[in-house]
Amino acid sequence: PPQYTTTTSACSCSNPVRQVIYYISESNSQITNMWIDVYYLNTFDCLDRPYEFTGMIQYVSDKNTLTAEGNPGYLFESNLLVGLLQSSRFSIPRHGFRIKGFNYNRICTTFTNTQLAEDNLLLHPTIKFGENLISTCSLTIAFNDFINFCSKSYWDGLNILQNFKDNNLYFGKIPKSGNLLNDWVQISQEFSTASVTPTYNSENRTCEFPTDDILLVFYGKAGGKSQKINYVRKVSHSYVRSRIEAPNQGESKTVTLRAHVRFVRYDGDDILNKPIKVSNYIPQLPSDIFLPLYMSCLLYTSPSPRDRQKSRMPSSA
């Protein structure tokens, strides 16, 4: 249960409830099941920020109803099926795979931060099939911390850069994939250790490091002329590096980190037979795919109309 403590100069609450979600399962206009998910924080500092609580009701279709609809493929904007292979079985998040790594103030979190445990439906976006996504957070670097900031141990602890790094991450070819490996696509890690290792230049006092975590989901269509289904063909993971100068003495600098998810329609066969080459800055992809350019900021490019995709502008450039 929540415990409230207070002193003359501070107050805190342990185990406060952050969000309550009521799920109602229905089939043929009748309620078949109900359950509740409760999300809570480890500790909340009363003086840190206003406390926010949300309550939601979500209606979900019964599995039998979904089977009767007859389309086994992905529908656009439905949850992408993601599972972690553990002991020959897939552990699948009930509410979909979420992009984590930041708190309510969009500050990047680390593995030592208690807010890592937060799994909030409003804060952490879910990967939806066919919907491009960019999640951002920021870091503030002081002059005296710049060298430590430019170290691999520091970057390995940033949550927003670790969402797709697990080699045991699999993606369902279709949303009803079971426990057979043939029903899943394993993530393809297409980066080297050197590409994710920060490089510090003491002469110029600059740091080159990975700032953008990029997940590419290649999908195709299968089936007859009357009904084609969307299915996942390949999923690749890579990073893009940036270079910044150290702040002046007595000053600080803010760096923006991003996690990208992009869906790419691809019907050819060569994409499955050879890895995607990734340069230091811009991933090399088939010529009909448009990706943002990474210079000093992220530039917006329009997606292909045939992909029926949505693009989200980053919250900060």
Side-chain angles (χ1 to χ4, degrees):
Q3 297 291 330
Y4 177 77
T5 57
T6 182
T7 64
T8 55
S9 60
C11 66
S12 64
C13 181
S14 59
N15 302 323
V17 175
R18 169 69 73 183
Q19 185 178 60
V20 177
I21 305 177
Y22 299 86
Y23 291 91
I24 301 177
S25 176
E26 57 88 18
S27 177
N28 298 324
S29 301
Q30 294 184 350
I31 295 177
T32 58
N33 196 8
M34 294 182 63
W35 65 90
I36 301 174
D37 282 349
V38 179
Y39 299 86
Y40 62 92
L41 301 176
N42 290 335
T43 305
F44 178 80
D45 186 350
C46 307
L47 303 180
D48 183 27
R49 62 178 187 269
Y51 182 73
E52 299 178 3
F53 170 81
T54 57
M56 300 175 62
I57 299 177
Q58 290 194 0
Y59 292 89
V60 297
S61 297
D62 187 78
K63 291 183 177 180
N64 294 330
T65 304
L66 293 176
T67 303
E69 290 175 359
N71 192 331
Y74 281 103
L75 300 178
F76 284 94
E77 299 184 7
S78 62
N79 285 352
L80 181 67
L81 183 63
V82 184
L84 188 64
L85 185 61
Q86 298 175 327
S87 302
S88 301
R89 296 187 64 84
F90 290 98
S91 175
I92 303 172
R94 174 183 290 182
H95 309 297
F97 191 83
R98 303 187 176 281
I99 306 299
K100 300 181 182 180
F102 43 86
N103 60 21
Y104 277 87
N105 297 318
R106 285 285 170 171
I107 303 299
C108 301
T109 58
T110 66
F111 284 115
T112 59
N113 193 307
T114 56
Q115 295 193 38
L116 173 65
E118 293 186 40
D119 186 8
N120 190 286
L121 296 182
L122 301 180
L123 176 65
H124 300 125
T126 304
I127 300 179
K128 304 283 188 179
F129 183 83
E131 183 176 315
N132 295 333
L133 172 68
I134 302 177
S135 288
T136 66
C137 63
S138 61
L139 285 173
T140 301
I141 313 157
F143 172 81
N144 295 331
D145 297 332
F146 188 75
I147 296 179
N148 177 62
F149 161 83
C150 193
S151 64
K152 192 173 189 308
S153 59
Y154 182 90
W155 286 95
D156 283 344
L158 287 168
N159 298 326
I160 196 168
L161 299 179
Q162 311 300 322
N163 283 290
F164 317 118
K165 206 172 180 180
D166 197 321
N167 290 326
N168 290 321
L169 207 58
Y170 284 75
F171 296 77
K173 293 181 179 179
I174 59 175
K176 298 180 178 66
S177 298
N179 274 313
L180 296 177
L181 276 178
N182 289 337
D183 293 338
W184 297 78
V185 175
Q186 186 176 13
I187 192 170
S188 176
Q189 303 290 358
E190 299 181 0
F191 60 89
S192 63
T193 302
S195 68
V196 294
T197 302
T199 305
Y200 177 69
N201 187 317
S202 57
E203 181 178 352
N204 299 325
R205 282 189 57 80
T206 60
C207 179
E208 186 176 301
F209 52 86
T211 54
D212 294 76
D213 195 1
I214 300 176
L215 188 78
L216 295 176
V217 182
F218 294 88
Y219 72 95
K221 288 183 175 290
K225 293 183 179 180
S226 60
Q227 184 183 45
K228 288 186 176 294
I229 66 170
N230 299 309
Y231 71 102
V232 173
R233 305 191 66 194
K234 181 177 180 177
V235 180
S236 68
H237 175 221
S238 60
Y239 292 93
V240 171
R241 294 163 67 88
S242 300
R243 184 185 295 115
I244 65 167
E245 296 180 356
N248 297 324
Q249 189 167 5
E251 298 180 356
S252 60
K253 179 166 290 188
T254 299
V255 177
T256 299
L257 304 181
R258 308 173 185 89
H260 304 248
V261 178
R262 182 168 178 83
F263 287 82
V264 180
R265 167 84 180 273
Y266 197 84
D267 296 318
D269 293 329
D270 58 326
I271 198 68
L272 302 179
N273 299 327
K274 61 182 181 181
I276 302 171
K277 295 181 179 179
V278 179
S279 68
N280 287 340
Y281 293 97
I282 302 178
Q284 303 298 309
L285 298 170
S287 58
D288 63 340
I289 299 173
F290 296 91
L291 280 180
L293 291 175
Y294 293 89
M295 306 277 291
S296 59
C297 63
L298 181 64
L299 304 180
Y300 173 75
T301 59
S302 298
S304 171
R306 68 176 180 175
D307 289 342
R308 298 169 58 190
Q309 299 175 354
K310 294 180 180 179
S311 293
R312 296 181 183 174
M313 291 291 288
S315 57
S316 60

